[in-house]
Amino acid sequence: MKKLLASLLASLAFVGPAFADAVTGPVEKQATNVTAIVMFLAFVAATMGITYWAASRTKTAKDFYTGGGGITGFQNGLAIAGDYMSAASFLGISGLVFSSGYDGLIYSIGFLVGWPIIMFVMAEQLRNLGKFTFADVASYRFGQTEIRTMAAFSSLVVVAFYLIAQMVGAGKLIQVLFGLDYWIAVVGVGILMLIYVVFGGMTATTWVQIIKACLLLAGATFMGLAALSHFGFSPEEMFKQATEAHPKGQAIMGPGGLVKDPINAISLGLALMFGTAGLPHILMRFFTVPNAKEARKSVFYATGFIGYFYILTFIIGFSAIVLLGQHPEFFKPDALVNGVVDKAHLVSGINGGTNMVAIRLAEAVGGNVFLGFISAVAFATILAVVSGLTLAGASAISHDLYASVIARGHSSEVMEMKVSRMATVCLGVIAVILGIAFEKQNVAFMVGLAFAIAASCNFPVLIMSVFWSKMTTRGAMLGGWLGLITATVLTIISKAIWVDVIGNAAPLISLNNPAIISIPVAFIGIWLFSITDKSKRAEQDILGYEAQDVRCQTGIGAEGASGH
């Protein structure tokens, strides 16, 4: 294993120049930026070194899934922030603010407001009840086979949609930086991600996330301040010039540019708010700390880091409206008139699409060196999140499906880790295929769909299992499946997939985000199928609540009624 890692590390030095010279393509490809590529490869080499180190420390399933459970609250808070400050946050929200103005903030606020729910309602219970995955919590007093199967499939669907956004962001970034074909860029990202997860597990993923969070916060701070300096550090002046430069004018300072009706706005808000509390790769991080106190600290620190970062993305998006228009080299030829950016094509004409706004602004305010730094950090951002997502998906397959359902608790740790690594490879291939298929989608929008599915299945089952004593195995299973299927089907027949990906003329529904329908469906299903359940299993589930509640509050006590 170590020899393989060493050879991969050595070979990275030749990847950039070889690919940059070997391909040609559309106008989105740029001249090779040597400074950016050197910094990019330096980061990849550093993270490979972390993976090499982590591989020597990853001996058991606990090491692989949770880093041995020895991460401190502050470290885990940084790692959670690193997990959460994804391509959707950095690239997607900046791009949405650039194209739609004020309405882009709905994603920033939505992503942030889910954290108080986790901090005050769920963090302690998660740490006290769980072991490796959130399904440990959801199935604590219920039938293991039914709940773990449902939770594993839900996790995999969420991970798939979330992975799409990260792969698209990474593909676009490498396409701009190296001049690669998009599909080659996505495949390269997939290979690197597999190396991190297969060999390093949670230890490598955690430290990549911590380092990347620090670098991203530092880089975004510099970018925000450098951009504001062009406006005399006056946000008012920045907004004034942005409205003059943007094709939508004053409309970018009001709602309705992105979400045009109250139903879609409420649905998106519900998805972002409750989806955070159902994301498998975020929930998994609470099992990396030694106790519930450190879990609460994790959320406190993460909320502060994430909130600060979202303020910066808003500044980045609005300042880019003005500053990028002063750089015609960032735009396609048909967006220029006499060498000057045509105002009408400011949004549609930018090379690489709006997902690359933050990267372009880095070059505008800091030149090639800062472009190299931000590109490397943005790639690290994506790679760390992709690694965390893949680890969450692999653990759902190996721990929840294989070890708990198929092997019924009788598998060895060696076999479980082998299954996990095979699952990682399969998920990596799927991520690459989906990343290529969804090339044209805004990454923040795609993450919104992942949040909707998490909010429609994982969150209702999790919150009801912890706080409602009359919930039964049948209620959890049928309610969870109803929420998952409703959210997935509504997502597929919406414009995002039915029109933009499949290519149909019109969507089957006008709802862009399914949460307003699928979340109530899940809660009603859980309630209805629980109160009508008169089976012996139901009696056992209800009797098991007291023992679960004791363990929730203290972290000690009797095991669940299911024999967990």
Side-chain angles (χ1 to χ4, degrees):
M1 182 190 296
K2 291 183 177 180
K3 287 182 179 178
L4 175 59
L5 277 171
S7 63
L8 285 166
L9 184 60
S11 67
L12 278 169
F14 303 99
V15 171
F19 274 143
D21 293 336
V23 295
T24 57
V27 292
E28 291 184 8
K29 296 187 178 173
Q30 307 299 297
T32 301
N33 186 324
V34 177
T35 306
I37 290 173
V38 168
M39 296 183 77
F40 170 83
L41 291 176
F43 178 84
V44 173
T47 54
M48 282 293 188
I50 293 171
T51 306
Y52 182 83
W53 163 76
S56 66
R57 298 167 59 96
T58 304
K59 306 296 185 187
T60 67
K62 186 176 183 181
D63 293 334
F64 186 80
Y65 293 131
T66 66
I71 309 294
T72 68
F74 180 76
Q75 290 170 341
N76 200 45
L78 264 176
I80 290 173
D83 231 343
Y84 206 68
M85 295 185 304
S86 64
S89 302
F90 185 45
L91 303 179
I93 293 176
S94 301
L96 285 174
V97 173
F98 177 80
S99 60
S100 301
Y102 171 90
D103 260 13
L105 191 60
I106 191 171
Y107 280 88
S108 296
I109 298 300
F111 285 147
L112 187 61
V113 294
W115 285 104
I117 297 172
I118 297 181
M119 181 186 290
F120 296 114
V121 177
M122 295 175 64
E124 188 171 343
Q125 284 82 356
L126 281 167
R127 182 60 193 85
N128 286 339
L129 286 176
K131 185 180 180 185
F132 294 152
T133 70
F134 93 94
D136 292 335
V137 180
S139 66
Y140 187 80
R141 61 187 167 102
F142 303 120
Q144 298 291 297
T145 300
E146 301 94 323
I147 305 304
R148 285 187 182 277
T149 302
M150 181 271 298
F153 275 98
S154 174
S155 295
L156 289 171
V157 174
V158 173
V159 164
F161 273 97
Y162 216 122
L163 274 174
I164 291 169
Q166 311 312 315
M167 298 304 281
V168 170
K172 287 292 181 185
L173 179 64
I174 305 304
Q175 182 184 27
V176 168
L177 184 61
F178 284 86
L180 289 173
D181 280 336
Y182 174 78
W183 73 269
I184 296 177
V186 171
V187 170
V189 172
I191 292 170
L192 280 173
M193 170 265 290
L194 288 176
I195 294 169
Y196 289 173
V197 178
V198 168
F199 295 110
M202 181 59 88
T203 303
T205 300
T206 296
W207 283 103
V208 169
Q209 286 162 342
I210 289 172
I211 293 168
K212 159 249 151 148
C214 294
L215 292 174
L216 182 57
L217 287 168
T221 299
F222 175 81
M223 194 191 304
L225 291 174
L228 274 177
S229 69
H230 289 268
F231 307 98
F233 295 99
S234 168
E236 183 181 359
E237 181 62 23
M238 177 183 72
F239 293 137
K240 176 177 175 290
Q241 291 190 32
T243 57
E244 293 169 355
H246 202 280
K248 295 180 181 177
Q250 288 288 339
I252 64 169
M253 297 307 295
L258 185 63
V259 184
K260 296 184 170 22
D261 63 88
I263 301 298
N264 270 305
I266 294 169
S267 192
L268 177 61
L270 288 171
L272 299 181
M273 183 165 61
F274 295 119
T276 304
L279 294 175
H281 66 298
I282 298 295
L283 298 176
M284 196 174 177
R285 292 227 59 90
F286 291 106
F287 310 128
T288 65
V289 292
N291 53 54
K293 181 181 178 182
E294 293 300 309
R296 288 194 301 274
K297 278 186 185 177
S298 298
V299 187
F300 175 77
Y301 288 123
T303 305
F305 292 133
I306 293 164
Y308 170 68
F309 177 74
Y310 283 146
I311 293 171
L312 295 175
T313 60
F314 202 53
I315 294 171
I316 289 168
F318 264 104
S319 60
I321 294 171
V322 179
L323 299 180
L324 296 193
Q326 300 169 5
H327 290 267
E329 67 273 18
F330 296 158
F331 291 80
K332 300 171 186 175
D334 57 7
L336 307 178
V337 176
N338 297 325
V340 177
V341 178
D342 181 14
K343 180 177 177 179
H345 293 93
L346 178 72
V347 174
S348 61
I350 190 164
N351 261 331
T354 56
N355 286 329
M356 288 297 102
V357 163
I359 305 301
R360 297 299 185 193
L361 184 65
E363 187 174 1
V365 300
N368 277 349
V369 174
F370 190 53
L371 168 66
F373 175 79
I374 287 295
S375 296
V377 171
F379 181 74
T381 297
I382 294 163
L383 210 52
V385 175
V386 165
S387 299
L389 283 165
T390 307
L391 194 58
S395 65
I397 293 171
S398 60
H399 179 63
D400 296 326
L401 284 180
Y402 172 74
S404 300
V405 176
I406 297 171
R408 297 190 178 276
H410 299 298
S411 68
S412 66
E413 280 200 352
V414 173
M415 189 61 195
E416 188 174 336
M417 289 178 67
K418 185 177 180 181
V419 171
S420 188
R421 286 178 167 130
M422 289 190 294
T424 298
V425 174
C426 293
L427 284 169
V429 173
I430 292 170
V432 167
I433 293 169
L434 292 175
I436 293 170
F438 284 77
E439 177 184 356
K440 305 298 182 184
Q441 289 291 306
N442 178 278
V443 290
F445 178 74
M446 289 307 304
V447 166
L449 297 179
F451 272 64
I453 294 168
S456 304
C457 181
N458 296 355
F459 172 70
V461 171
L462 202 55
I463 202 80
M464 295 286 271
S465 70
V466 171
F467 293 105
W468 191 39
S469 63
K470 291 183 173 55
M471 182 173 169
T472 69
T473 296
R474 191 180 80 166
M477 180 186 68
L478 294 177
W481 277 114
L482 276 173
L484 174 61
I485 292 168
T486 302
T488 305
V489 170
L490 291 179
T491 298
I492 290 171
I493 63 175
S494 69
K495 180 179 181 295
I497 295 180
W498 198 253
V499 176
D500 296 344
V501 176
I502 299 177
N504 291 299
L508 298 182
I509 58 168
S510 58
L511 198 62
N512 291 326
N513 193 294
I516 198 169
I517 296 175
S518 53
I519 292 176
V521 164
F523 276 106
I524 292 169
I526 291 170
W527 171 78
L528 179 62
F529 291 112
S530 291
I531 63 167
T532 58
D533 188 358
K534 307 300 180 185
S535 65
K536 288 186 178 180
R537 175 74 245 188
E539 292 176 12
Q540 187 180 345
D541 296 337
I542 294 168
L543 287 172
Y545 180 77
E546 187 176 341
Q548 174 187 285
D549 193 48
V550 170
R551 192 174 178 90
C552 264
Q553 304 307 321
T554 64
I556 57 174
E559 294 298 336
S562 63
H564 176 70

